[in-house]
Amino acid sequence: MGLQKGEFVLINYTLTVLDDTQEKVIDTTYKEVAEKAGLKTENVVFEPELVIIGEGFVIKPIEDVLVEMNENEKREFVLEPSQAFGERDPKNIVILPARELSSRGVIPRVGEEVEIEGRRGRVIRIGAGRVTIDFNHPFAGKKVKVELTLEKILKDDAEKIRELFHRWFRNIPKENIKTEIAGDTVKIEVPTSIFLIENAFTLLSGFVRDVQRHFENINNVEFVAKVPIERPKKEEEKKGEAAKEESKESSAGQESVSQESKAEAKEEQ
């Protein structure tokens, strides 16, 4: 029957661009694969990603394969350029006067990316006062190999909401997020580190909108952040601890004297 629109699943994947002479990993959910490929790993969360079927979380050619998969199933397939980053279009290669770029504060260098009127392109040639810029996607015209694993199909609403919250707040580990549903209310316990996240309120608003959209039975979202209070010890407690320490020292001293007395007695004998 396959997966249906609106279902929540967790996937792992690796995307590899295929060239005539080499293969290049460009994205993955596996840290060891990223490290081997020389991809950035610092401040990147490597773990199965949430996908809601039919919501555009992955491109359609990948989702078309995903909906036919079973839990724990792995598939490997190749996307044609038109299914991935598109075919190369000669119309996207533009020649501009160098002075036009300099007037925009852009100093062109071959191989560097530049942004012109909201479009990002790569400088491929400079000469005779002109700059040639390729606005095609860097991987346009190339096939892409997809290694896809359907790790889990989520059934429990509390788990779905936890995964959805984590998608908005990737820097908060899943194990630090607790969700509980009672009637039409979901209570979410989060660490106090959420207050240190930039635009936290905006992210929370986006999360709540997603809950409203995907969970018709939930009418309230309750956030709980526990802040432990550390109080200075009372004077009586300090005195009690000091007395215990003195008692320990006294006992140790008495034991030492006793051992010395025994040693002296042996010598006299």
Side-chain angles (χ1 to χ4, degrees), residues 73-93:
E73 184 179 352
K74 297 181 180 180
R75 290 210 189 174
E76 183 178 309
F77 52 97
V78 176
L79 301 179
E80 295 297 322
S82 59
Q83 297 174 302
F85 298 102
E87 300 285 0
R88 287 189 61 80
D89 186 349
K91 295 179 181 178
N92 287 329
I93 299 177

Side-chain angles (χ1 to χ4, degrees), residues 4 19 60 63 81 91 135 156 161 165 178 183 206 225 245 254 269:
Q4 303 300 307
D19 208 331
K60 191 174 185 305
E63 187 174 90
K91 295 179 181 178
F135 286 103
D156 180 68
I161 292 175
F165 183 88
K178 298 179 182 179
E245 290 297 324
Q254 292 176 0
Q269 293 175 356

Side-chain angles (χ1 to χ4, degrees), residues 35-183:
E35 290 175 338
K36 186 176 180 180
L39 299 180
K40 178 185 176 182
T41 58
E42 186 178 358
N43 298 323
V44 178
V45 179
F46 292 95
E47 62 187 1
E49 288 197 0
L50 173 67
V51 170
I52 303 177
I53 302 301
E55 294 298 318
F57 282 37
V58 292
I59 60 175
K60 191 174 185 305
I62 293 180
E63 187 174 90
D64 288 343
V65 175
L66 179 61
V67 296
E68 299 175 352
M69 296 173 63
N70 298 312
E71 195 170 69
N72 296 318
E73 184 179 352
K74 297 181 180 180
R75 290 210 189 174
E76 183 178 309
F77 52 97
V78 176
L79 301 179
E80 295 297 322
S82 59
Q83 297 174 302
F85 298 102
E87 300 285 0
R88 287 189 61 80
D89 186 349
K91 295 179 181 178
N92 287 329
I93 299 177
V94 179
I95 300 176
L96 298 174
R99 64 176 178 275
E100 181 176 332
L101 295 180
S102 61
S103 67
R104 298 172 182 268
V106 177
I107 302 175
R109 295 183 178 86
V110 174
E112 289 190 355
E113 286 192 352
V114 296
E115 183 171 339
I116 307 295
E117 296 180 352
R119 300 177 67 194
R120 294 195 66 82
R122 184 170 57 89
V123 177
I124 59 176
R125 188 179 303 109
I126 300 175
R130 297 183 300 177
V131 179
T132 304
I133 303 175
D134 186 353
F135 286 103
N136 285 293
H137 191 281
F139 302 128
K142 299 184 183 298
K143 296 181 179 180
V144 176
K145 181 175 70 175
V146 181
E147 298 170 73
L148 180 65
T149 302
L150 175 51
E151 299 289 352
K152 188 176 183 180
I153 301 173
L154 304 181
K155 299 297 184 182
D156 180 68
D157 281 353
E159 185 178 10
K160 291 178 183 179
I161 292 175
R162 185 185 72 158
E163 292 290 343
L164 189 60
F165 183 88
H166 179 61
R167 187 173 186 271
W168 282 93
F169 293 88
R170 295 297 298 270
N171 291 329
I172 299 181
K174 294 179 186 180
E175 58 268 23
N176 293 344
I177 305 168
K178 298 179 182 179
T179 54
E180 180 182 341
I181 296 177

